[in-house]
Amino acid sequence: MQYHQKPAVLAVALALSALCHSALAEDNNALQSMPEVVVHGTRPDSLADGSKLDAAQLSAQKARSSDSAQLLQDIPGLSLHGAGGFSSLPVLRGLADDRLLTKTDGISLVSSCPNHMNSPLSYIDASKVDSVQVYNGSAPVSAGGDNIGGVIVAKAAAPRFAEIGQTLLTGQMGAYYRSNGDASGANLSATLANDHVSINYSGSTARSGNYDAAAAFKSAGASTGRAWLDGDTVGSSAYHTQNHEVSVAWRDSYQLLEAKVGVQNTPYEGFANQRMDMTDNSSSQFNLHYNGQFGWGELDARLYDQYVRHSMDFGDDKQTVYGSYGGMPMDTASHTLGGALVLDLPLNQRDQLKLGAEFQRYGLNDWWPAAGSGMGMMSPNTFWNIQDGSRDRLDVFAEWQADWTPQWRSILGLRAAQVKSNAGNVAGYNSMAAYATDAAAFNALNHQQTDHNLDLSALARYTPSAGQQYELAYAQKTRSPNLYERYTWSSMGMAAIMNNFVGDGNGYFGNPNLKPEVAHTLSSSADWHAADGSAWGLKISPYYSYVQNYIDAQRCGSSLCGGSSNLSSTNSYVTLQYVNQNAQLYGMDVSGKLRLANGAQYGRVDATAQLSYTRGENLSTGDNLYNIMPLNAKLALVHTLGKWSNTAELQLVRAKTDVSAVRNEIKTPGYSLFNLRSRYEWKQFSVDVGVDNVFNRYYVQPLGGAYTGQGRTMAKNPSGLGAWGTGVPGAARSLYTALNYQF
């Protein structure tokens, strides 16, 4: 692959040219004569207390990464499961991926890939995210269903309109460069509006080569006969993606109607902890939103549609030729149609009722075309991983909020859901027993499943004064299995390792009889802070969750899986089947801040801190749950003087020793990282500079999974390069800068 930088360099040059031109201009009145902008949007949700990041808090993070999930890393209790360069999977209090509901601009998207490479947050570029709200697992039912771990809501900026009788032309453009991986990108957004109609275009591009670790963690060499990788280069970590969106909005005094059409094209994205790489992901989506505010309350309605065409194969760092076979193409196509209708009804001064209905229809085909020619393991037919898969969901909910006194608030909610899933018959590459045995057994089963799920939520909040708040919440939340958990079928090693969305290097196959997961979560929080909310604050949030029918994994003992060796191995990759078991998760999140100094001459100095601890246990087997973030903390000093802000940040992570034995999960050592960043705003310009991992410390990502980024990745347990036991290292020192110009 070649990593051309011309688009990013051109964008940087344009931004610098505009900066110089503005600095030399004698007449600054034009810069200050822009018409006043009126922003129209829905009222903020006051029902639940969650962790929220606004545009100002997100701005510094956008310069550091093109991954929208990285914007969440300052939320207590939230960590990231490593994946592709812009496709990390959020982990909230030990629960990740489909166990969390992710909404981007109000819509719920689905990962359509046996490795979950196209995560929901990967469809919104980091430069577009204007706010993020994260609700934990005991959140009110109105936040969303079909999850047991919480809800993440990422929103772009609301449409902008001009004052009456005026025309507004506004927007922003930006570009960035990061030294590690030679990463670069650019983004542009422009709005043309009057007081009733607003038209917006936004676009972005991002690319990076492989990033480097701080030390050699493997041998250097030509890993596949195609690519030479140094010992410190993390193979299959390069990416290139583009996003474009056009939106039109109309408003009057009480109503807003928005229509958005977006496309994403990803020519490639490498995955260092997967056996395959993304070789194309093309998505088109439509999002129609209506909000009306009336004398009787508020009506919010949404309809969305997405089509995804996804392809995987071996990238440059993975071996592509096996005997007479060249590559292993894997294709996925999906269609998602969904909608929601929500009524917000103030009944009186004390009571507020929220009623809603949602639906989602999801269809999936996942097939692997024959590779090579002649009879063999991967020919002459198409391998059907999932054929005619469907997962259709219909929800209704009701939620009652009561403000009993100025100090006491309660929220009670009920959500009922029906989830229907099905899939057609399957077939392997040929009629050999390696495929035919499993295919015949799967085809003989009844594939249709109908789940009737019930969610409950109860929350009480006590605010005795402006400086105190206490909260106690209970929730029962339910998630039905996804299609890959239920309907992948081949236990043969080569096919199974291609079905893995947790990045541990193992092989997985499904179980049509899986039951929905049901989590009973009890959480509380105590929040003490200065009356003005800025001088100091301390929040402590313990939680406990018991999960019935938790979808974990058990080892396969058949000859196709490796027989007794697969059951007994402690130092190799294994083949597993999804199975329902019981589990518990518990822990505590602590966050605080303290103003150390505040003066007109020297500015303001604040100290911030957060600490998170999570423990996850499989109660059926006594094993540890997989990919649980160890004890971790973050300390920062933030200096602000006018439009200039500087941050010195220390990250501390304990060694991960509580690992999943059934998966032969790799232990990781503890580490500390020191980061520096600075941001300066001048008129319509902002400049970010920073250094991540200042002291160039080598570390292994606790949630990064197993390193399978190069070599013979089709082999379940290759010897030498790619063998079991190596985790994915974190990035070495990286210097970055970003320029943004608003017009």
Side-chain angles (χ1 to χ4, degrees):
M1 297 176 183
Q2 297 180 346
Y3 310 112
H4 302 291
Q5 301 176 34
K6 291 182 180 179
V9 172
L10 177 59
V12 172
L14 289 173
L16 288 173
S17 174
L19 177 62
C20 295
H21 177 76
S22 178
L24 293 174
E26 295 181 359
D27 184 6
N28 291 325
N29 293 330
L31 299 177
Q32 302 171 0
S33 61
M34 294 175 64
E36 181 180 356
V37 174
V38 177
V39 177
H40 186 288
T42 60
R43 295 186 291 108
D45 183 7
S46 61
L47 293 181
D49 180 25
S51 298
K52 186 170 184 178
L53 300 174
D54 58 24
Q57 294 169 300
L58 295 171
S59 59
Q61 298 291 353
K62 293 178 181 180
R64 303 173 66 190
S65 175
S66 301
D67 186 356
S68 294
Q70 294 282 347
L71 302 178
L72 309 176
Q73 56 186 321
D74 284 338
I75 294 199
L78 193 142
S79 50
L80 298 176
H81 174 145
F86 62 94
S87 303
S88 296
L89 299 170
V91 183
L92 184 59
R93 294 179 172 180
L95 298 172
D97 203 3
D98 283 353
R99 293 189 171 106
L100 304 178
L101 174 66
T102 301
K103 295 183 177 180
T104 56
D105 268 350
I107 65 178
S108 304
L109 301 179
V110 182
S111 294
S112 298
C113 168
N115 303 144
H116 279 196
M117 292 179 174
N118 42 25
S119 58
L121 277 175
S122 69
Y123 288 111
I124 182 169
D125 185 73
S127 65
K128 277 196 62 182
V129 181
D130 186 68
S131 67
V132 176
Q133 181 90 32
V134 177
Y135 303 96
N136 61 43
S138 55
V141 296
S142 60
D146 202 27
N147 74 91
I148 63 171
V151 181
I152 298 171
V153 180
K155 293 182 179 179
R160 307 178 73 178
F161 297 89
E163 284 289 328
I164 296 175
Q166 298 186 23
T167 300
L168 172 67
L169 176 60
T170 185
Q172 66 86 30
M173 60 183 298
Y176 68 83
Y177 177 78
R178 307 181 192 113
S179 63
N180 196 343
D182 197 24
S184 60
N187 60 84
L188 171 68
S189 177
T191 296
L192 177 64
N194 59 25
D195 58 316
H196 286 296
V197 179
S198 177
I199 303 173
N200 174 266
Y201 164 79
S202 63
S204 64
T205 180
R207 66 173 70 228
S208 175
N210 289 332
Y211 73 82
D212 292 333
F217 64 98
K218 55 183 174 59
S219 300
S223 61
T224 68
R226 295 187 294 160
W228 176 280
L229 294 181
D230 293 333
D232 61 353
T233 299
V234 179
S236 298
S237 57
Y239 61 85
H240 178 202
T241 186
Q242 296 179 345
N243 291 275
H244 302 275
E245 183 182 84
V246 175
S247 64
V248 179
W250 170 87
R251 69 158 191 182
D252 63 13
S253 300
Y254 307 103
Q255 300 177 94
L256 173 70
L257 180 64
E258 301 175 88
K260 298 182 178 182
V261 178
V263 296
Q264 182 188 82
N265 178 37
T266 301
Y268 60 86
E269 184 182 14
F271 284 76
N273 61 1
Q274 294 289 357
R275 308 300 184 118
M276 309 294 290
D277 294 317
M278 182 192 294
T279 54
D280 181 69
N281 194 82
S282 299
S283 164
S284 59
Q285 63 188 54
F286 173 74
N287 185 1
L288 181 65
H289 174 228
Y290 171 81
N291 178 264
Q293 298 180 21
F294 307 97
W296 49 263
E298 181 178 332
L299 169 65
D300 197 85
R302 190 177 300 273
L303 182 69
Y304 62 92
D305 185 89
Q306 186 198 39
Y307 178 77
V308 174
R309 186 68 169 81
H310 172 76
S311 297
M312 295 190 298
D313 210 324
F314 304 116
D316 286 352
D317 302 330
K318 295 182 169 79
Q319 181 170 322
T320 188
V321 178
Y322 292 79
S324 62
Y325 300 105
M328 183 180 176
M330 300 170 65
D331 292 299
T332 305
S334 71
H335 179 226
T336 306
L337 175 66
L341 182 68
V342 179
L343 295 174
D344 201 340
L345 306 172
L347 303 180
N348 50 52
Q349 288 187 342
R350 188 193 72 181
D351 301 312
Q352 180 175 332
L353 183 64
K354 183 174 281 192
L355 304 173
E358 300 178 10
F359 81 95
Q360 184 182 72
R361 296 179 59 87
Y362 176 70
L364 173 76
N365 278 303
D366 191 308
W367 71 100
W368 309 349
S373 59
M375 294 301 293
M377 290 299 294
M378 294 189 294
S379 64
N381 303 320
T382 294
F383 183 105
W384 280 98
N385 197 36
I386 295 177
Q387 183 168 210
D388 296 330
S390 64
R391 189 179 189 271
D392 299 334
R393 180 167 61 91
L394 177 63
D395 292 23
V396 293
F397 71 85
E399 188 168 87
W400 168 46
Q401 174 184 310
D403 292 318
W404 300 95
T405 68
Q407 294 79 32
W408 282 99
R409 167 178 291 180
S410 67
I411 305 174
L412 296 175
L414 174 68
R415 176 183 285 260
Q418 177 181 271
V419 181
K420 290 185 175 181
S421 62
N422 203 351
N425 289 342
V426 298
Y429 287 112
N430 50 56
S431 59
M432 295 172 60
Y435 303 117
T437 302
D438 284 340
F442 178 86
N443 292 339
L445 298 174
N446 176 24
H447 303 155
Q448 182 171 331
Q449 297 284 353
T450 300
D451 304 324
H452 297 283
N453 302 333
L454 187 67
D455 289 359
L456 307 169
S457 65
L459 180 148
R461 182 178 302 152
Y462 176 53
T463 310
S465 67
Q468 301 177 67
Q469 183 172 279
Y470 306 94
E471 188 173 285
L472 180 65
Y474 164 78
Q476 173 183 299
K477 298 292 181 69
T478 311
R479 179 189 78 96
S480 288
N482 64 43
L483 295 183
Y484 288 101
E485 289 168 326
R486 267 187 170 151
Y487 297 127
T488 51
W489 54 275
S490 179
S491 65
M492 194 269 287
M494 182 274 293
I497 60 175
M498 305 301 169
N499 283 290
N500 179 324
F501 42 82
V502 295
D504 62 358
N506 296 309
Y508 289 83
F509 62 100
N511 182 347
N513 297 317
L514 285 177
K515 299 176 182 178
E517 298 177 319
V518 181
H520 302 269
T521 300
L522 183 67
S523 65
S524 63
S525 67
D527 188 347
W528 302 278
H529 51 267
D532 64 359
S534 60
W536 65 274
L538 175 65
K539 186 174 183 178
I540 301 174
S541 304
Y543 57 90
Y544 175 83
S545 185
Y546 171 72
V547 186
Q548 294 175 289
N549 297 319
Y550 182 88
I551 299 176
D552 210 325
Q554 65 182 8
R555 295 195 186 183
C556 168
S558 76
S559 59
L560 293 177
C561 303
S564 60
S565 63
N566 189 69
L567 294 174
S568 61
S569 170
T570 59
N571 60 355
S572 67
Y573 296 120
V574 294
T575 302
L576 306 117
Q577 183 180 27
Y578 295 112
V579 63
N580 287 123
Q581 294 168 333
N582 294 328
Q584 66 178 6
L585 300 101
Y586 55 89
M588 180 180 294
D589 300 321
V590 181
S591 59
K593 61 182 178 180
L594 177 64
R595 178 150 301 161
L596 302 178
N598 191 13
Q601 185 176 2
Y602 300 104
R604 185 175 70 245
V605 179
D606 295 310
T608 65
Q610 62 185 60
L611 180 145
S612 295
Y613 171 75
T614 302
R615 184 80 173 89
E617 301 171 337
N618 186 314
L619 298 176
S620 300
T621 65
D623 198 3
N624 299 303
L625 297 186
Y626 173 70
N627 235 17
I628 300 296
M629 186 69 178
L631 178 68
N632 62 94
K634 184 182 294 184
L635 310 172
L637 284 176
V638 182
H639 169 249
T640 305
L641 178 61
K643 296 295 186 179
W644 186 30
S645 63
N646 305 281
T647 302
E649 178 184 81
L650 178 65
Q651 294 176 263
L652 303 166
V653 180
R654 193 176 182 180
K656 184 179 70 174
T657 56
D658 295 325
V659 294
S660 171
V662 71
R663 291 174 169 83
N664 289 339
E665 184 181 3
I666 302 167
K667 296 181 179 181
T668 60
Y671 62 90
S672 62
L673 300 176
F674 185 62
N675 308 313
L676 291 172
R677 55 184 178 268
S678 182
R679 179 179 176 84
Y680 183 72
E681 298 179 5
W682 179 70
K683 296 181 179 178
Q684 293 141 288
F685 294 91
S686 65
V687 180
D688 291 272
V689 295
V691 185
D692 282 340
N693 195 359
V694 172
F695 299 114
N696 206 32
R697 298 290 298 271
Y698 177 81
Y699 66 102
V700 178
Q701 301 178 70
L703 306 188
Y707 182 66
T708 55
Q710 61 185 105
R712 299 183 67 248
T713 58
M714 188 185 291
K716 179 179 172 182
N717 279 292
S719 59
L721 190 65
W724 177 90
T726 301
V728 178
R733 181 190 299 118
S734 181
L735 286 72
Y736 62 86
T737 184
L739 267 175
N740 280 277
Y741 169 64
Q742 294 185 356
F743 57 88

